[in-house]
Amino acid sequence: MKLAAQKIETDILIIGGGTAGCYAALTIAERQAEVTVLIAEKANIKRSGCLAAGVNALNAYIVPGQTPESYLEYVKNDAEGLIREDLVLSMAARLNQVTKKVEELGLVIQKDNNGEYVARGNRNIKINGENIKTILADAVTQKPNIKVLNRVNITDYIIKEGKIIGAYGFSLDSADFYVISAKSVICATGGAAGLYRPNNPGLSRHKMWYSPFNTGAGYAMGIRAGAEMTTFEMRFIALRCKDTIAPTGTIAQGVGAQQINSLGEEYEKNYGSPKTCNRLYSTVMENKNGKGPCYLNTVGITANQESELFKAYLNMAPAQTLRWFENGCGPAEADVEIEGTEPYIVGGHTASGYWVDTRRASTIPGLYAAGDVAGGCPQKYVTGCFAEGEIAALSALEYIEEKTNEWPSNAEVEESKASIDNYLSGEQGIYNIEDVEDAMQKVMDDYAGGISSGYTYNLPKLKVARERIDELIKLSNSLKAKDLHELMSIYEVIDRLYVCKVLIEHLAARKETRWHSFQENADYPDKDDTNWLKYVNSRFVNGEVNLILRDLVKRDEIYEHTH
């Protein structure tokens, strides 16, 4: 099989039709109806990305008594001081207005008898959100200037004279190779799952916290293009209900359940202040010290509270409710066992991703980033991704003023198409796609701080990881695909390998432990504000990851790229 080139022209290309991507498209359509927008989505925007199965709360909202500044302080404290304050504050300032907008589109937000949103904690509100993604998708398809290209895998940006002018991709349904010309590109592809060996084996390996279809493609395209990346070493590892990998926050916040060990002791307070990474770290350490299993203490909750948990999980993670029913024992009768997941790279929860300016522009002109793929701004969650999609959209609109579409040369198009055709021709070698993926996950688990090592790593282990990931990148070039689905799988594993390569260098570079478990460096077990309260950034140049250390950006700064 060989692909046939198809050319598409648009004003703004949005790669990824998830949370940030859909909201960015809606923002553009409502601000300038004459501007054409193309969303390129690997799946189908009705049920793609992290919102595919819905959510039962919006975890970033400025509730009464709180302010954007107080939200900034919360994020800063949780991230041990290492955030882009300008990004967090500009995001927080938009949280409530984007929430209102999505409610107007049809999202049901729970309200009390006074008509006020029902809060869940200090920064969250409850929603009936099973259909949140379909609401966004329906709103997008109603806009005449937005075109959606579903089931298209974007592979790389098109670069001309140092700026982004579009992207290449291929269809998953037909032998079409797309050359997309755009005056500006917004990357909204999500983070990276599947880098490490997961909790569950075999056919259950994709039962994980983060969407398994988010494979780091946006990161990888930016890495290969030479865009600056930031804070990959701040991995995210979720604390989840054991085996089902269902959320724990619904229980912890919904019924006030505390974390206890097998002796019935509350232990989180013994490991420092209650931060996201410490909730996980304390659980890891209790198990390491022989006091596991660990649980959320739910025994004794009321029948009404138990019923609410059953309904909440059916709305978001039905496997947990089904497990309670299967066992004939709900959370009122048995505490809920908890465990950590494998590590992920996800800028919606931590600060990993593209190094962007205050307007969400990357270091390559013409390219913007929003949502999980954008770095520097942890604790975005759903509404923060909406906010960043809006900011990136407005910035892209300003950028394209007086810009014209440009195209790559015919030789460049043929070279890109030939690289894809190569995977579709010839005989499969010794190793197939799954072999390479399994090897990658084993390497990262064994040598780069996975579950098996309690998330701890050291420099000698990272050296082994570096060598083996480089070997796998070379090996991946010989992979072959029998069909377009396998072709997509090849690109997914290659993209993950590039993310792993950069991640390893970031882990090695930070010579301290700033976030327990998330970044547990056995060679440097203590936090070092004197030398390391700074960003670890990188650029991929001529096959090498070049590291860059940058000073903190404060809340009152408007950061622009200068070098």
Side-chain angles (χ1 to χ4, degrees):
M1 179 192 302
K2 285 193 174 183
L3 305 185
Q6 307 288 340
K7 291 186 175 182
I8 299 177
E9 182 175 295
T10 187
D11 290 326
I12 297 177
L13 169 64
I14 298 174
I15 306 174
T19 313
C22 282
Y23 203 93
L26 289 171
T27 300
I28 295 166
E30 291 171 0
R31 294 300 178 101
Q32 292 192 29
E34 74 281 2
V35 171
T36 57
V37 180
L38 177 66
I39 298 177
E41 165 58 48
K42 184 171 69 173
N44 186 298
I45 65 167
K46 280 190 174 294
R47 289 290 184 185
S48 63
C50 296
L51 293 185
V55 288
N56 69 350
L58 298 179
N59 290 334
Y61 186 81
I62 309 301
V63 302
Q66 300 293 324
T67 65
E69 289 74 18
S70 67
Y71 193 87
L72 168 61
E73 289 305 316
Y74 149 69
V75 175
K76 183 177 179 181
N77 177 67
D78 198 68
E80 299 290 356
L82 197 68
I83 61 170
R84 282 279 301 276
E85 293 187 21
D86 61 321
L87 300 181
V88 176
L89 189 59
S90 61
M91 176 270 293
R94 294 174 181 264
L95 291 175
N96 289 20
Q97 70 184 51
V98 298
T99 300
K100 183 65 176 175
K101 171 64 178 176
V102 179
E103 184 181 28
E104 291 170 353
L105 293 177
L107 178 66
V108 175
I109 302 178
Q110 296 182 24
K111 296 179 180 179
D112 60 21
N113 293 333
N114 298 319
E116 300 295 329
Y117 294 156
V118 176
R120 193 187 78 171
N122 294 326
R123 291 166 290 275
N124 311 348
I125 55 175
K126 296 181 179 182
I127 65 172
N128 296 343
E130 186 278 336
N131 63 342
I132 186 171
K133 190 63 204 298
T134 58
I135 287 171
L136 288 170
D138 289 344
V140 164
T141 55
Q142 290 171 13
K143 299 295 182 182
N145 59 326
I146 302 176
K147 179 181 178 182
V148 179
L149 204 58
N150 284 315
R151 293 183 57 76
V152 168
N153 190 72
I154 300 298
T155 59
D156 278 300
Y157 298 121
I158 303 173
I159 306 173
K160 186 173 184 178
E161 297 175 354
K163 64 180 182 292
I164 301 295
I165 62 165
Y168 297 115
F170 61 88
S171 170
L172 300 177
D173 295 321
S174 59
D176 289 316
F177 170 71
Y178 290 107
V179 184
I180 304 172
S181 169
K183 299 172 186 175
S184 178
V185 175
I186 299 173
C187 183
T189 53
L195 308 178
Y196 286 78
R197 180 179 287 168
N199 296 82
N200 297 313
L203 294 175
S204 296
R205 67 185 183 275
H206 292 120
K207 182 177 283 297
M208 54 178 59
W209 167 75
Y210 196 57
S211 169
F213 311 107
N214 285 3
T215 58
Y219 295 143
M221 290 189 295
I223 289 165
R224 291 190 292 265
E228 189 168 333
M229 298 289 162
T230 188
T231 323
F232 271 42
E233 74 279 9
M234 189 184 183
R235 309 174 299 175
F236 184 76
I237 305 162
L239 185 67
R240 305 299 267 185
C241 300
K242 192 174 188 310
D243 297 331
T244 63
I245 317 299
T248 54
T250 301
I251 300 173
Q253 295 184 9
V255 300
Q258 298 299 309
Q259 294 173 210
I260 60 171
N261 59 28
S262 59
L263 304 177
E265 301 165 335
E266 294 183 14
Y267 59 80
E268 186 183 353
K269 60 182 180 294
N270 300 328
Y271 295 88
S273 57
K275 298 177 181 178
T276 304
C277 63
N278 282 350
R279 285 193 287 274
L280 170 71
Y281 174 67
S282 60
T283 304
V284 171
M285 294 304 295
E286 289 294 291
N287 280 285
K288 184 177 180 180
N289 293 333
K291 294 184 179 182
C294 294
Y295 304 89
L296 286 172
N297 184 200
T298 57
V299 170
I301 63 174
T302 68
N304 182 63
Q305 287 176 314
E306 184 177 62
S307 176
E308 288 300 311
L309 289 179
F310 288 154
K311 289 187 287 186
Y313 280 104
L314 278 176
N315 189 40
M316 181 172 56
Q320 185 61 36
T321 297
L322 294 175
R323 182 172 188 173
W324 281 322
F325 288 171
E326 181 182 51
N327 292 340
C329 182
E333 300 173 69
D335 294 325
V336 179
E337 188 175 351
I338 54 178
E339 66 179 344
T341 64
E342 77 274 26
Y344 307 93
I345 306 301
V346 49
H349 284 68
T350 63
S352 310
Y354 281 84
W355 179 251
V356 294
D357 66 14
T358 309
R359 294 161 48 79
R360 275 49 175 194
S362 77
T363 53
I364 306 179
L367 177 62
Y368 297 82
D372 282 357
V373 80
C377 181
Q379 271 78 28
K380 298 183 186 101
Y381 306 119
V382 174
T383 45
C385 291
F386 290 153
E388 284 207 326
E390 182 175 72
I391 295 169
L394 296 175
S395 300
L397 278 173
E398 186 174 331
Y399 175 84
I400 68 171
E401 291 180 5
E402 300 182 7
K403 293 283 192 306
T404 57
N405 285 85
E406 299 183 63
W407 295 91
S409 67
N410 291 336
E412 290 170 324
V413 171
E414 284 304 312
E415 181 181 1
S416 182
K417 190 174 85 69
S419 67
I420 296 177
D421 287 337
N422 178 63
Y423 294 117
L424 291 164
S425 62
E427 295 296 320
Q428 177 65 57
I430 298 174
Y431 303 105
N432 61 29
I433 302 163
E434 190 164 329
D435 293 331
V436 175
E437 181 177 304
D438 287 347
M440 171 192 69
Q441 292 178 348
K442 178 174 171 54
V443 167
M444 296 301 288
D445 183 67
D446 288 346
Y447 299 106
I451 294 171
S452 65
S453 62
Y455 310 113
T456 302
Y457 62 89
N458 61 26
L459 294 180
K461 281 192 169 186
L462 290 177
K463 183 176 183 295
V464 177
R466 176 189 296 130
E467 293 168 354
R468 296 193 178 174
I469 291 299
D470 282 343
E471 290 172 2
L472 289 171
I473 289 175
K474 292 177 182 176
L475 187 62
S476 68
N477 293 325
S478 63
L479 292 173
K480 299 299 177 181
K482 297 191 298 290
D483 53 37
L484 294 169
H485 180 80
E486 286 194 357
L487 180 63
M488 176 193 70
S489 297
I490 288 175
Y491 273 92
E492 288 181 337
V493 76
I494 290 172
D495 288 342
R496 285 181 172 124
L497 285 165
Y498 274 94
V499 175
C500 288
K501 182 177 178 67
V502 172
L503 169 58
I504 289 165
E505 299 308 322
H506 277 246
L507 290 171
R510 183 168 291 282
K511 294 178 172 54
E512 63 163 355
T513 293
R514 180 158 295 271
W515 310 281
H516 280 302
S517 291
F518 288 13
Q519 182 259 323
E520 193 74 39
N521 189 335
D523 294 329
Y524 301 91
D526 300 318
K527 186 171 72 170
D528 179 3
D529 279 347
T530 302
N531 297 302
W532 287 101
L533 190 56
K534 59 183 66 175
Y535 312 110
V536 174
N537 290 7
S538 65
R539 276 183 173 161
F540 187 67
V541 181
N542 298 324
E544 299 294 330
V545 180
N546 294 342
L547 294 166
I548 306 162
L549 300 182
R550 294 199 181 275
D551 293 330
L552 300 186
V553 179
K554 298 298 185 180
R555 69 189 68 188
D556 54 352
E557 295 183 48
I558 302 297
Y559 181 85
E560 296 180 343
H561 299 304
T562 56
H563 60 283

